[in-house]
Amino acid sequence: MNASQSPVVLVVDDHADTREMLLLWLGCSGFQGIEAVDAGAALAAVAEAVPDAILLDMGLPDLDGYEVCRRLRQNPATRATPVIALTGYGSPGDLKRARDAGCDVVLVKPCPPDQVVLELQRHLPAFFGPPGS
């Protein structure tokens, strides 16, 4: 990671409008956003180049986000990559399931985009410094 570069964030969501909104917000907030429409595309993307962070929807059409996160945590290249779940599943059980799968943060949709950016900044201290600095 180089502090002079924009952090790369992989946005994994099967809804085009959600992906487009997040990519636009990320770009306006100093991030480089890349996208994947499903779990297969997400796993293929991280096999090519590991992003600095991942925004992951839990309700994907092929594998669910829980399984994607488990696979990311099993992969030495992505084991420490921050994964932020963006999900419509907001029950206490759903939140626990996402954390148990390895998500660093679980945000329930609709989530204010500035909250997503704050969590990314908090989890990417190499780019933004330690929290509170």
Side-chain angles (χ1 to χ4, degrees):
M1 281 187 233
N2 181 334
S4 66
Q5 297 174 328
S6 296
V8 176
V9 178
L10 174 62
V11 176
V12 185
D13 199 301
D14 57 320
H15 291 101
D17 290 344
T18 301
R19 280 194 323 275
E20 290 173 20
M21 184 273 305
L22 287 168
L23 291 168
L24 178 63
W25 191 263
L26 290 171
C28 291
S29 301
F31 297 88
Q32 179 186 343
I34 57 175
E35 63 185 302
V37 300
D38 58 26
L43 295 171
V46 299
E48 282 187 35
V50 176
D52 297 301
I54 299 169
L55 298 178
L56 179 61
D57 182 26
M58 295 292 105
L60 298 170
D62 46 359
L63 294 175
D64 63 34
Y66 307 105
E67 180 61 24
V68 172
C69 195
R70 282 190 285 276
R71 290 183 187 194
L72 292 169
R73 294 301 179 229
Q74 292 169 354
N75 179 343
T78 55
R79 184 170 290 135
T81 302
V83 176
I84 298 173
L86 289 174
T87 181
Y89 306 138
S91 76
D94 294 325
L95 302 178
K96 181 181 182 324
R97 186 175 174 207
R99 285 190 301 274
D100 289 349
C103 294
D104 296 286
V105 176
V106 184
L107 301 175
V108 179
K109 295 176 186 176
C111 175
D114 57 339
Q115 185 178 5
V116 175
V117 169
L118 287 172
E119 288 297 341
L120 286 168
Q121 290 171 340
R122 190 168 72 87
H123 284 86
L124 295 171
F127 292 96
F128 301 101
S133 64

